Amino acid sequence: MKKIERKGEVIFSSYKRGEAIHKAISMKREDILFEIRESKLKGRGGAGFPTSTKWMLVSAAQADQKYIVCNADEGEPGTFKDRVLLLEYPELVFDGMVVAAYTIGAKNGIVYLRGEYEYMLNSLEGYLDEMRKDNLLGKNICGKEGFDFDIIIRLGSGAYVCGEETALIESLEGNRGEARNRPPYPVNTGFMGKPTTVNNVETFAVVSHIVIKGGEWYKKLGTDKSTGSKLFSVSGDCDKPGVYELPWGTKISELLEIVGAKNTKAVQVGGASGICIPKSQFDRTLAYEDATTGGSIMIFNEERDLLHVLKNFMEFFVEESCGQCTPCRIGNVKLLEGVEMIEKGKFTFHHINNLKELGKSMQVASKCGLGQSSPNPFISILENFREEIFNGNGGIHGK
Amino acid sequence: MLVLEKNEMTKEIEQLVNKYGFSRSSLLPILQDIQRKHKAVPDFAQQEVARLLDIHPVEVYSVVSFYSFFNTKQKGKNLVRLCQTITCDLAGKKSVARALEREIGIKFGETTKDNKITLEYVNCLGMCDQGPALLVNERVYSKVTPEKAVQILSEIK
Ligand SMILES: Cc1cc2nc3c(=O)[nH]c(=O)nc-3n(C[C@H](O)[C@H](O)[C@H](O)COP(=O)(O)O)c2cc1C
Ligand code: SF4
Ligand code: FES
């Protein structure tokens, strides 16, 4: 299998198994929290919530049990960086979980691995066994009196919405993966009603490096609001699809250059639930404050039909909506019908404009992130590519 | 289901409850093991899981019906799933799909008469850098061409 990875200065830099754990247990808990706050690390799962704030809340909560959950549900179309981390750098991810456990005082960790990644299960279990043998998991970890922690792996069963943290917790508890009302947040009432921190695979991997090298070092990279580096999963029309570690703040045009993309018409940033960026905006930067992404970058060249792309995305959302709330359950179906009308040339602009408005209502009225973001491609593709879709070539689709 | 089979199933589920613990949170792992072995979670199994975990059978059914990896109707011995999401789509999903359908004479969503193979679509498998991606049971194949896909199928037992 040909593999393309661009090693960056942080995540893919050299690391020895257990290093972060040894360092962490020599530190005070507050000092670890301080370093992570200094680093200004934000969650890598997409939502970008400050990791230190989440950990501080769980750490401050009073409870007899606390949980660390690693979100390895990686279901956003176009994202595969967690796959690479888990297969090739499990030490970074698991050590990060142990550091989190030490910091917030948790005894149990759970990895929620998407069902589609079952092929990794044996090697990951084997790796955890190794850690137990070396006392990186278990009782009195690395000789630290009273620091007990272990990790189990639980599989998903093919539901994208279970990547949403409260749906994930529902699924762990043996229920349908339906998002909960928030508040209360998992930091107070998480798994089994106990304080729980849910973090992305990459977030834990970054923590392992920050503990060793410090927050000051980390925030030298990236921009002021988006510190450090990020793993980008690049796919679509380019010579070198793969996982790239690049500092936040990299321009889309720079990324296209690096991955060898030619004749690019559009870049979908943030997966199916992200936005579609046209050529005229390729000088925008990848950052939380500009074009943000949990890692997914999909490249489309001049030959691609963006209406076809949009249809594929909307089919995805219709299938994956959990159906709990009306804006998302019905809304996505309506948006898909709209795309099909355009495809057949049987639409009115009046109706399409209404659907865009419906999309905006879904963004505010849906219960969880799925319905809140599923109108993004609909709105951005029909706005940014309206010439092509409605008027282009005398109206390919404008018949 | 024959009485003998029922007894067998009950014993199996008792073992699973022992393995994962008597707790609602064991529900998914238990169902996953049943699905893996029997290629379905039959009605009787759902009732037994409910009884042994002391929850209502409707609760079990609601979970089984929610997740796309569970099904009540028996699937083939081997599950062949092709990614239908955009990157794989643009990389040639359609021609792979057609080749598979032609070769084994069923459509997506169907099972062969000898119960050997079920063909299905799935959403993004996290292999978008190497699409089209194909999942055969737990194993993943990348950069699948029509010919390669048929070759993979012919190796299935
Ligand atoms: C529909 C939906 C799917 C999501 N899928 C994932 C996922 O696969 N992996 C992930 O880490 N976060 C996912 N998230 C974000 C999580 O809800 C949550 O914000 C994240 O796991 C928190 O970890 P972080 O702070 O480290 O990013 C998803 C959110 C939504 C709304
Ligand atoms: S927004 Fe969609 S996925 Fe989220 S709770 Fe509502 S119906 Fe379910
Ligand atoms: S789009 Fe097929 S694996 Fe991601």
Side-chain angles (χ1 to χ4, degrees):
Chain A
M1 219 191 286
K2 203 176 76 180
K3 181 184 80 184
I4 294 179
E5 266 172 28
R6 179 175 162 117
K7 312 248 172 199
E9 292 168 67
V10 183
I11 303 173
F12 290 157
S13 63
S14 74
Y15 178 80
K16 264 209 334 277
R17 190 169 78 115
E19 224 180 330
I21 302 176
H22 285 287
K23 176 80 187 288
I25 57 173
S26 72
M27 292 167 75
K28 286 215 287 284
R29 296 184 157 86
E30 307 84 71
D31 294 340
I32 300 176
L33 281 172
F34 176 82
E35 288 301 334
I36 294 173
R37 196 175 63 210
E38 271 299 292
S39 75
K40 298 210 234 166
L41 173 65
K42 290 182 186 169
R44 298 305 196 220
F49 191 80
T51 305
S52 64
T53 312
K54 198 182 271 185
W55 288 18
M56 262 180 232
L57 290 168
V58 181
S59 171
Q62 298 289 330
D64 55 344
Q65 272 280 12
K66 292 179 187 176
Y67 293 95
I68 306 284
V69 174
C70 173
N71 189 342
D73 199 46
E74 188 161 66
E76 187 66 51
T79 317
F80 45 87
K81 53 155 185 107
D82 295 345
R83 173 197 93 210
V84 171
L85 281 174
L86 289 167
L87 280 176
E88 291 168 37
Y89 305 87
E91 64 276 15
L92 283 176
V93 181
F94 292 141
D95 287 3
M97 287 179 75
V98 178
V99 171
Y102 175 75
T103 311
I104 68 168
K107 294 222 170 342
N108 296 290
I110 305 170
V111 177
Y112 189 89
L113 185 68
R114 68 186 303 217
E116 290 84 344
Y117 285 173
E118 194 177 336
Y119 63 88
M120 298 181 190
L121 193 58
N122 281 338
S123 75
L124 292 178
E125 295 280 15
Y127 191 85
L128 290 175
D129 276 339
E130 289 292 309
M131 287 179 73
R132 285 181 197 111
K133 267 191 217 127
D134 297 343
N135 196 221
L136 296 170
L137 284 177
K139 294 221 175 313
N140 302 323
I141 292 173
C142 298
K144 184 84 181 175
E145 201 61 39
F147 177 35
D148 306 341
F149 179 66
D150 212 323
I151 298 175
I152 59 164
I153 303 176
R154 290 275 300 262
L155 284 171
S157 270
Y160 163 69
V161 67
C162 286
E164 198 279 339
E165 56 183 8
T166 60
L168 187 154
I169 290 170
E170 284 291 316
S171 177
L172 284 178
E173 291 180 355
N175 302 321
R176 293 162 69 92
E178 292 175 343
R180 294 176 177 172
N181 281 322
R182 306 188 307 167
Y185 294 94
V187 289
N188 294 313
T189 318
F191 181 58
M192 297 303 190
K194 305 290 182 191
T196 303
T197 172
V198 181
N199 283 110
N200 176 251
V201 171
E202 186 183 346
T203 309
F204 286 117
V206 176
V207 162
S208 290
H209 282 297
I210 292 178
V211 164
I212 292 170
K213 299 182 194 118
E216 194 61 44
W217 162 81
Y218 187 73
K219 71 178 175 199
K220 282 199 195 106
L221 274 177
T223 72
D224 188 35
K225 289 203 178 84
S226 314
T227 55
S229 66
K230 175 83 186 87
L231 296 185
F232 295 101
S233 316
V234 182
S235 66
D237 298 313
C238 63
D239 293 341
K240 294 175 281 182
V243 173
Y244 291 78
E245 180 181 349
L246 297 169
W248 280 117
T250 300
K251 281 200 179 115
I252 293 174
S253 55
E254 289 167 346
L255 179 129
L256 290 175
E257 177 87 39
I258 294 169
V259 304
K262 291 172 210 92
N263 292 326
T264 307
K265 170 158 75 180
V267 179
Q268 179 79 17
V269 178
S273 53
I275 51 168
C276 195
I277 295 182
K279 200 186 250 166
S280 57
Q281 297 175 24
F282 283 176
D283 58 346
R284 285 178 67 178
T285 58
L286 298 163
Y288 290 107
E289 64 272 23
D290 191 353
T292 179
T293 171
S296 174
I297 304 275
M298 298 189 274
I299 302 171
F300 305 120
N301 69 20
E302 292 290 353
E303 272 131 63
R304 303 304 186 181
D305 173 0
L306 287 177
L307 196 67
H308 175 75
V309 172
L310 176 57
K311 187 175 168 195
N312 189 283
F313 288 156
M314 294 325 296
E315 285 168 346
F316 173 78
F317 289 123
V318 167
E319 220 168 88
E320 296 293 347
S321 163
C322 84
Q324 207 189 162
C325 68
T326 319
C328 168
R329 184 183 61 241
I330 313 278
N332 283 312
V333 174
K334 289 288 155 202
L335 298 188
L336 175 59
E337 283 171 8
V339 176
E340 287 166 345
M341 285 174 186
I342 302 175
E343 203 178 29
K344 293 195 193 100
K346 290 191 175 147
F347 68 98
T348 60
F349 285 108
H350 177 74
H351 185 60
I352 297 302
N353 287 336
N354 280 344
L355 289 179
K356 282 191 209 153
E357 286 306 310
L358 171 67
K360 287 178 192 154
S361 309
M362 289 165 66
Q363 288 172 334
V364 288
S366 294
K367 183 166 171 180
C368 85
L370 192 151
Q372 288 161 8
S373 58
S374 65
N376 290 347
F378 185 88
I379 294 173
S380 67
I381 289 180
L382 293 188
E383 282 291 330
N384 293 333
F385 299 92
R386 61 174 184 277
E387 277 310 310
E388 161 186 339
I389 290 172
F390 297 112
N391 307 317
N393 280 341
I396 320 175
H397 298 291
K399 291 164 196 158
Chain B
M1 237 181 185
L2 299 168
V3 177
L4 219 63
E5 284 172 351
K6 283 189 174 176
N7 289 342
E8 192 63 28
M9 179 70 90
T10 303
K11 224 165 73 206
E12 191 185 319
I13 295 172
E14 278 168 355
Q15 280 165 2
L16 289 175
V17 173
N18 275 334
K19 178 174 165 196
Y20 293 109
F22 173 76
S23 155
R24 169 86 194 224
S25 71
S26 305
L27 183 56
L28 262 91
I30 291 173
L31 295 176
Q32 283 162 349
D33 279 10
I34 297 172
Q35 173 77 41
R36 200 173 295 123
K37 180 153 173 214
H38 300 274
K39 312 297 169 191
V41 188
D43 290 349
F44 178 72
Q46 292 180 42
Q47 280 165 23
E48 285 302 88
V49 170
R51 184 174 66 81
L52 292 165
L53 286 183
D54 198 18
I55 52 182
H56 199 283
V58 159
E59 293 279 329
V60 176
Y61 179 67
S62 84
V63 168
V64 169
S65 61
F66 183 85
Y67 295 92
S68 64
F69 282 14
F70 297 136
N71 44 276
T72 50
K73 230 182 83 203
Q74 174 102 30
K75 281 190 183 164
K77 227 174 96 199
N78 297 285
L79 194 49
V80 175
R81 293 179 285 192
L82 179 65
C83 171
Q84 64 180 352
T85 310
I86 193 66
T87 327
C88 290
D89 180 286
L90 299 180
K93 161 201 89 181
K94 226 184 210 157
S95 48
V96 173
R98 282 207 209 103
L100 288 172
E101 289 183 335
R102 272 199 314 270
E103 207 71 18
I104 51 177
I106 56 169
K107 296 242 165 305
F108 273 76
E110 296 176 355
T111 303
T112 52
K113 281 223 178 65
D114 60 1
N115 233 2
K116 203 170 121 186
I117 295 172
T118 298
L119 263 190
E120 272 179 7
Y121 282 119
V122 271
N123 288 326
C124 183
L125 291 170
M127 291 297 285
C128 332
D129 51 339
Q130 301 161 43
L134 188 72
L135 201 59
V136 178
N137 301 320
E138 289 89 53
R139 190 150 171 219
V140 67
Y141 295 85
S142 59
K143 294 204 170 160
V144 175
T145 58
E147 256 188 290
K148 193 169 154 193
V150 170
Q151 171 71 24
I152 293 167
L153 278 204
S154 71
E155 283 159 17
I156 288 180
K157 299 226 170 50

